[in-house]
Amino acid sequence: MDENCVFCKIVSGQIPSTKIYEDENSLAFLDINPATNGHSLVISKKHYATLLDIPGAELEELILAVQKTGAATMKATKADGFNVLQNNGAVSGQVIHHLHFHIVPRFKNDSLNLSLGGKKAGQAELAEWQKRIKKHLK
Ligand code: AMP
Ligand code: ZN
């Protein structure tokens, strides 16, 4: 537990939350500033700052909790789809530095703009990034 972490305080009950799912290692609760109706956060009960910090076996359990919560949210909200968003580092938009997955129900014409707005890359550029990234995956 990180004493300065809002989500650790939610896990320990020091801060209230609107819980929707809980198992041994995972917890899901509603976001207090929902992007759309039913927006929730699925967190690991243990404090890990980012996706790169959690051990693989625990991540497997957490992603199953994301899937369960996503399925229930789709039924409850009658959404047309949903986004799973997960930010790592302040520059990516991470405000709470305790690993969490957003589940954001999406509705036709909900006008939420999550577009990544990329520009087209040429084959040489893609090949260069392929080489650089693959080097670290060996
Ligand atoms: P991120 O930008 O990915 O770190 O997202 C943090 C999310 O946590 C935001 O969508 C906030 O609205 C949400 N949030 C912050 N504090 C609380 C809280 N006490 N209970 C529920 N959601 C929270
Ligand atoms: Zn924490």
Side-chain angles (χ1 to χ4, degrees):
M1 158 143 189
D2 178 330
E3 280 170 17
N4 299 312
C5 173
V6 172
F7 289 175
C8 282
K9 288 181 181 166
I10 284 178
V11 171
S12 70
Q14 285 172 261
I15 290 181
S17 68
T18 313
K19 292 179 189 168
I20 53 176
Y21 176 76
E22 184 167 12
D23 60 32
E24 200 183 333
N25 295 309
S26 311
L27 177 66
F29 53 91
L30 295 174
D31 195 302
I32 45 168
N33 295 116
T36 58
N37 288 335
H39 176 179
S40 66
L41 303 169
V42 185
I43 70 169
S44 161
K45 287 184 177 175
K46 284 194 209 156
H47 182 93
Y48 299 111
T50 75
L51 186 64
L52 301 186
D53 301 306
I54 187 170
E58 291 179 43
L59 179 59
E60 282 178 21
E61 288 184 35
L62 184 58
I63 204 70
L64 289 175
V66 169
Q67 186 187 45
K68 269 187 193 169
T69 306
T73 300
M74 284 292 288
K75 287 183 184 154
T77 60
K78 299 193 167 42
D80 302 302
F82 67 106
N83 293 106
V84 175
L85 303 171
Q86 195 274 310
N87 299 324
N88 297 284
V91 74
S92 75
Q94 186 177 14
V95 173
I96 309 278
H97 295 276
H98 179 132
L99 172 63
H100 56 279
F101 289 84
H102 293 257
I103 294 181
V104 183
R106 299 304 304 270
F107 305 89
K108 284 184 188 104
N109 308 317
D110 63 21
S111 73
L112 191 62
N113 184 6
L114 298 174
S115 166
L116 295 179
K119 57 177 171 45
K120 193 160 173 56
Q123 192 50 48
E125 188 183 339
L126 295 178
E128 180 59 27
W129 284 113
Q130 176 187 43
K131 191 175 80 186
R132 290 196 203 181
I133 295 168
K134 281 184 77 171
K135 203 162 74 184
H136 295 281
L137 284 166
K138 284 184 180 144

